[in-house]
């Protein structure tokens, strides 16, 4: 009897995370719909859309937040962003810890290595550490940016702008109070470097930050940290170079900028798609190959248990490694002197497959409901799924149904499609295994 | 010493298949460039493009084959199509047989079941059976279509048109002698049914045909056959319904047709993307959602060891099953009372990943070299990769570099990206295994 009762009140992590996000969006919608929140009345769909966009740290908006939101409205937006960014990071870490605790022997070693600072029950302490990390990073960012902006804006406005943009950056939200996002800042290396550092640190994942701070030297890092750091450096470098080369002569993006600015803008444009979503150029004027590159980067995203979304860089790396090892007739891939288990490959396969399916399905639905050209629509869909917030400028043209569809997609993208599907699919009961059989593929 | 010599002269299947295809394309290009082959002179790139398109049974063309090719040119085209379609099918079957022979114990049972009609050394007999099957199917098709077309075209033309279209259909080439492909036949259920039956049978895979003919009843079929038959029926039904619903009111495609024709054209348009590539409607006028659906179908393709290409229906099914079983916390998927091995999943993952990478890379390159809108270009790229041959009408607008890129893509698509990558990647030497380690994904 007792066992039954216990089972009944147990809420699964996927349900808890989905439920709390929905609650947050619900409350956020109500607050944004209050007359006090906006300078002009907004529709319910617009309120839902922007509340979802903030909670999922996407940054897509159907109106200009800087001019439409009042101080109160901005405050609501920031709270939603903090909960949606840091909150999910803390939650994901807690789940990872509980998960790891259950796995037992095979991961004990890793667990000891990576989380030796926590007792196993110390979820609260973990959350405390995450908050300390987040608020320290944001605090430093706010002070630095305020000091830098005082000469230009005066103390009050500098502080106001800094708080908003630093929180937006660290949480990978990409909302800006400037009407053209950060296009006006494209020749300001200080702002670009500061904000990009914040969103890279916020998006790389808490375990990675802990590892890098606690252990001196690459050799001592966990495999996850090694992959994230190497992968991030490599992908960001490649993306920067590709953007620079592809847009070099495009007079509507970086073509007219001096070389130094070209470099910085290319760097920022290369790193921002992996969830941050600030833009320093007009994506509507970008070359098709660069847009294609950006879509891939948005789909990949950054780190697990972070303020970023997407399928995650490690998922992408595992799929690539598994493919290479298959071609080399190896069963399990090896990297940095470690072997990856089949389970991780199967998980990465599932995440990628479900994500592709989700993106495709929503693109299909929006192609039915919207009268918008294919590329901008596909770009918007991938951007919403990756909770990136970059847009070729069609967000305001979405129909009401379109806004709701994109809202649902941002929600799925942030909680992770796996989380959602775990809610929908019941685990199979144990039974005897059927005999093995062969199928021809490819 | 002897062993070394033997090793040196051994040609790997991937090398053999790639080499023979390249040779065929080379000879085909030379023959098509002969003045006797065309009514007007064609450029070298055009000759390369069409020779590649025929050999890879794609059906894309930079000129109208019906008016530009002479009788000799048509003959060259048909020979290339037969070698590229049936030839690869026979070759793939032979490799499958040899492959299976080596695997030993675990697959003996399946082998006995599926190929009990062959002695293990009977590759030649196998090829004979495949040729008998192919020529029987084509023969029946030619006789039937000729008889049907005699009243309209007279004996000579009816025979001429029938030979060309039946060979083009059975080999999933999709070339037509009519200037608008089969749009003129859209109200002719006999032609549509006959040709679609031919390309479905040709594309489903030789092992499946053997199974269905030899064993009465679903229960006795191999797992591969069960998956292919169920999958084909399901996907074709879904595609037909979706095309009908999505295009129902589109006056430029099926909107103006009577209901009966609407149904037939929807059926044909639903099944032709899985490699055949004949078109009965103008794809340039199609709705975006239908184009998106068609692109997925073109990417999936039909059966292994057949005249069709794409990642193959079974590969797609395995990925879907693996994803579902992961969500159900099962390691290995079960279907029709059988369990699929991890090896098949890893293989399907690799095929899909490499295929996505290939499509993306060529779309990226073509976005750089061509000045063509995104959707038609993406459609053309997927069509070339799946050796389908459907087009939104931009094939003639490709630059010379674009033609060569698409030629390379058709080649990769037909030999299969795995084949190519096996040529490029060396198998790893055996060494001690590194310890297992954990990575967070998603
Ligand atoms: K974002
Ligand atoms: K074809």
């Amino acid at each position: 009897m007792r066992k039954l009762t216990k089972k009944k009140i147990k809420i699964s992590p996927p349900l808890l995370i989905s439920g709390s996000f929905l609650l947050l969006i619900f409350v956020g919608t109500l607050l944004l719909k209050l007359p006090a929140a906006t300078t002009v009345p907004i529709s319910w769909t617009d309120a839902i859309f922007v509340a979802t966009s903030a909670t999922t740290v996407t940054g897509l908006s159907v109106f200009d937040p800087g001019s439409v939101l009042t101080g109160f409205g901005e405050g609501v937006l920031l709270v939603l962003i903090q909960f949606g960014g840091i909150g999910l990071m803390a939650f994901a870490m807690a789940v990872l810890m509980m998960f790891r605790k259950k796995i037992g022997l095979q991961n004990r070693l890793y667990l000891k290595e990576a989380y030796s600072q926590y007792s196993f029950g110390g979820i609260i302490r973990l959350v405390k550490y995450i908050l300390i990390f987040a608020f320290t990073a944001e605090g430093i960012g706010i002070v630095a940016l305020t000091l830098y902006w005082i000469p230009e804006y005066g103390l009050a406005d500098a502080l106001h702008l800094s708080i908003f943009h630093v929180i937006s950056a660290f949480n990978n939200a990409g909302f800006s109070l400037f009407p053209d996002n950060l296009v006006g800042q494209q020749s300001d290396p200080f702002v670009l470097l500061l904000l990009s550092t914040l969103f890279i640190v916020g998006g790389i994942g808490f375990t990675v930050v802990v590892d890098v701070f606690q252990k001196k030297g690459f050799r001592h890092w966990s495999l996850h940290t090694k992959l994230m750091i190497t992968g991030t450096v490599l992908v960001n470098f490649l993306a920067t170079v590709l953007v620079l080369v592809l847009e070099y002569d495009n007079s509507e993006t970086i073509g007219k900028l001096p070389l130094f600015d070209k470099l910085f803008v290319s760097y920022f444009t290369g790193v921002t798609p992996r969830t941050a979503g600030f833009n320093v150029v007009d994506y509507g004027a970008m070359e098709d190959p660069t847009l294609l590159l950006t879509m891939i980067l948005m789909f990949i995203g950054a780190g697990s248990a972070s303020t970023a979304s997407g399928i995650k860089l490690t998922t992408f790396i595992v799929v690539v490694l598994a493919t290479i090892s298959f071609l080399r007739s190896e069963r399990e891939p090896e990297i940095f002197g470690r072997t990856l288990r089949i389970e991780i490959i199967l998980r990465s396969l599932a995440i990628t497959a479900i994500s592709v399916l989700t993106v495709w399905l929503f693109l299909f639905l929006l192609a039915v409901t919207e009268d918008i050209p294919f590329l901008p629509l596909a770009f918007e869909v991938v951007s919403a799924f990756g909770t990136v917030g970059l847009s070729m400028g069609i967000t305001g043209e979405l129909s009401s149904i379109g806004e709701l569809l994109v809202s649902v997609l941002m929600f799925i993208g942030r909680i992770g499609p796996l989380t959602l599907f775990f809610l929908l699919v019941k685990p199979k009961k144990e039974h005897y295994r059927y005999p093995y059989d062969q199928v021809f593929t490819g």
Side-chain angles (χ1 to χ4, degrees), chain A residues 326-340:
Chain A
F326 175 80
L327 291 172
R328 301 173 85 170
S329 307
E330 280 186 314
R331 203 179 133 101
E332 292 164 324
E334 295 175 328
I335 183 88
F336 294 134
R338 288 285 187 280
T339 304
L340 293 179

Side-chain angles (χ1 to χ4, degrees), chain A residues 218-240:
Chain A
F218 188 84
R219 280 190 336 121
H220 303 283
W221 292 345
S222 73
L223 177 60
H224 180 81
T225 302
K226 285 178 183 167
L227 286 179
M228 275 307 296
I229 297 287
T230 325
T232 302
V233 170
L234 207 70
V235 171
N236 285 352
F237 175 76
L238 270 177
T240 304

